[in-house]
């Protein structure tokens, strides 16, 4: 998954104004206790990060 696709999904789920804030502040256990931004900056694959976000947001299978 391209990074632009990842951010489009984030904005679709959380809204453009809130997606970046949530990604900076919300710690996800599935990412080793890191935020989305920390995981991406550490080089984590966007698919792995998206799966962790989808789990944290409890998204239905159709949105994963």
């Amino acid at each position: 998954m391209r990074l632009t696709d990842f951010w489009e999904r984030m904005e679709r789920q959380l809204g453009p104004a809130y997606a970046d804030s949530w990604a900076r502040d919300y710690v996800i256990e599935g990412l080793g206790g890191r935020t989305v931004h920390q995981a991406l900056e550490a080089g984590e694959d966007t698919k792995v990060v998206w799966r962790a976000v989808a789990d944290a947001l409890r998204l239905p299978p159709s949105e994963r």
Side-chain angles (χ1 to χ4, degrees):
M1 170 187 310
R2 294 180 329 192
L3 191 56
T4 55
D5 294 332
F6 173 84
W7 286 111
E8 286 173 3
R9 288 180 183 206
M10 287 288 290
E11 289 181 3
R12 192 167 43 246
Q13 294 303 319
L14 298 168
Y18 187 54
D20 185 62
S21 175
W22 189 89
R24 287 188 189 286
D25 297 334
Y26 191 82
V27 174
I28 300 175
E29 189 60 36
L31 294 175
R34 297 178 292 181
T35 67
V36 167
H37 278 285
Q38 289 170 333
L40 291 173
E41 288 169 6
E44 193 71 59
D45 185 270
T46 54
K47 288 182 184 179
V48 171
V49 177
W50 178 251
R51 286 186 202 118
V53 167
D55 288 344
L57 294 175
R58 296 183 178 142
L59 297 180
S62 62
E63 298 292 323
R64 290 175 181 257

